[in-house]
């Protein structure tokens, strides 16, 4: 059960309207790293979570993300207020109105005209929100790692938005939202590390033949060694010959077919086989000649 409190989690104070900035803010409203995506991700994870502690945490954070969605939505609407009124009432000449909503090269005319200066569930490029942003897989150790990365990405987007405005009230609100991403990341990390063991994700262990092998498959200038590929825990393989058919097989794809299917496949292969000795004249070659094939005048049927 949800109950809505009309007071925001953080007070929104906007110094002056800025439709271009409002459009960029939509990235955290209806974008892949935005608050709605986060709320839906954690809410659906909570529903299927069997651990009571993680379930409670996920419901808490999912609900807080909805409050953040409300904060961002209010920022977007406040930044759009002036342009929304001018657009709705037609108080400006057409050229002046268009200049106002496309100032500084922004695309706010899309959200202004299509959505009336509101807070649509689109990203800053106008792409509609989609449930494809929710990457839950139902395994806590995998989902928690994904959540940690999602919070990190959201923090980076907030940093970039903070750098785009001088409005002190907007900066403060964005700074609060950015900081809450850090707090959520800490909670998810604590929850992950409280699962023992938590790596590799899932139940099945990796095959020890390949689990500690590093294949150096991109070779040339710029190669570097580090803890990700060197030390006693890694077997470093740089020889291309040792990177092929590592299972000891032929390295070729094989399938065992019943006799009747094998005959049919062979018949199809024979029917569609290419003649390596052929040298057919192609349409591209005909198109390169200014005249006909024999050098005479070409004609085209009417």
């Amino acid at each position: 059960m949800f109950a809505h409190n009309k007071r925001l989690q953080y007070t929104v104070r906007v110094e002056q309207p800025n439709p271009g900035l409002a459009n960029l803010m939509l990235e955290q409203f209806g974008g892949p790293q935005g608050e709605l995506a986060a709320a839906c991700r954690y809410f659906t994870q909570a529903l299927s979570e069997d651990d009571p502690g993680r379930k409670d945490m996920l419901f808490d954070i999912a609900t807080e993300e909805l409050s953040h969605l409300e904060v961002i939505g209010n920022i977007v609407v406040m930044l759009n207020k002036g342009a929304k009124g001018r657009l709705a009432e037609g108080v400006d000449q057409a050229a002046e109105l268009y200049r106002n909503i496309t100032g500084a090269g922004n695309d706010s005319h899309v959200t202004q005209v299509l959505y009336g200066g509101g807070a649509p569930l689109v990203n800053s490029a106008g792409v509609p929100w989609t449930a494809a942003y929710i990457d839950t897989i139902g395994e806590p150790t995998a989902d928690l790692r994904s959540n940690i990365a999602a919070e990190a990405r959201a923090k980076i987007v907030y940093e970039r938005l903070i750098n785009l405005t001088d409005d002190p009230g907007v900066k403060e609100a964005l700074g609060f939202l950015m900081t809450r991403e850090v707090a959520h990341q800490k909670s998810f990390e604590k929850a992950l590390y409280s699962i023992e063991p938590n790596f590799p994700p899932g139940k099945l262990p990796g095959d020890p033949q390949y689990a500690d092998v590093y294949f150096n498959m991109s070779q040339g200038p710029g190669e570097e060694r580090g803890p990700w590929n060197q030390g006693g825990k890694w077997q470093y393989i740089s020889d291309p010959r040792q990177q092929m058919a590592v299972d000891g097989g032929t390295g070729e794809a094989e399938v065992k077919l019943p006799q009747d299917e094998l005959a049919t496949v062979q018949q199809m292969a024979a029917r569609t086989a290419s003649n390596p000795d052929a040298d057919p004249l192609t349409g591209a070659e005909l198109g390169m000649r200014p005249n006909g094939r024999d050098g005479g005048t070409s004609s085209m049927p009417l």
Side-chain angles (χ1 to χ4, degrees), residues 93 97 120 174:
Q93 293 293 324
L97 184 59
L174 294 180

Side-chain angles (χ1 to χ4, degrees), residues 1 16 24 30 37 49 64-65 69 78 81 98 102-103 105 107 136 141 175 178 194 226 245 255 257-258 272 283:
M1 181 187 74
Q16 61 182 0
L24 294 174
E49 180 58 73
E64 184 179 354
E65 299 290 17
L69 182 73
M78 294 301 103
K81 274 295 183 188
Y98 189 75
T102 58
D107 291 327
T136 299
T141 59
M178 181 198 73
S194 68
V255 60
L257 293 173
T272 59

Side-chain angles (χ1 to χ4, degrees), residues 87-170:
L87 184 64
E89 299 304 314
V91 297
D92 294 332
Q93 293 293 324
E96 178 65 15
L97 184 59
Y98 189 75
R99 185 187 66 79
N100 286 334
I101 64 176
T102 58
N106 67 71
D107 291 327
S108 66
H109 60 286
V110 176
T111 49
Q112 293 290 324
V113 174
L114 294 184
Y115 304 109
L121 283 174
V122 299
N123 68 5
S124 60
V127 179
W129 187 90
T130 170
Y133 296 153
I134 312 305
D135 55 1
T136 299
I137 201 169
E139 160 58 42
T141 59
D143 285 339
L144 286 169
R145 285 186 169 87
S146 177
N147 296 351
I148 292 166
E151 295 292 328
R153 291 192 298 268
K155 178 184 183 292
I156 296 303
V157 175
Y158 275 126
E159 284 190 14
R160 293 170 180 173
L161 290 172
I162 289 170
N163 291 335
L164 287 170
T165 179
D166 293 324
D167 190 312
V170 174

Side-chain angles (χ1 to χ4, degrees), residues 26 28-29 68-79 118-119:
L26 288 175
Q28 288 302 87
F29 194 74
H68 294 175
L69 182 73
E70 187 176 26
V71 171
I72 282 289
N74 274 275
I75 293 175
V76 170
V77 171
M78 294 301 103
L79 288 170

Side-chain angles (χ1 to χ4, degrees), residues 14 66 110 137 148 152 180 201 240 260 266:
V14 175
L66 286 175
V110 176
I137 201 169
I148 292 166
R180 294 306 299 160
D260 57 337
Q266 290 174 337

Side-chain angles (χ1 to χ4, degrees), residues 1-5 39 43 47 58-64 66-67:
M1 181 187 74
F2 288 88
H4 179 256
N5 188 313
F43 183 79
L47 290 174
L58 287 164
F59 273 134
D60 282 338
I61 295 179
T63 306
E64 184 179 354
L66 286 175
S67 76

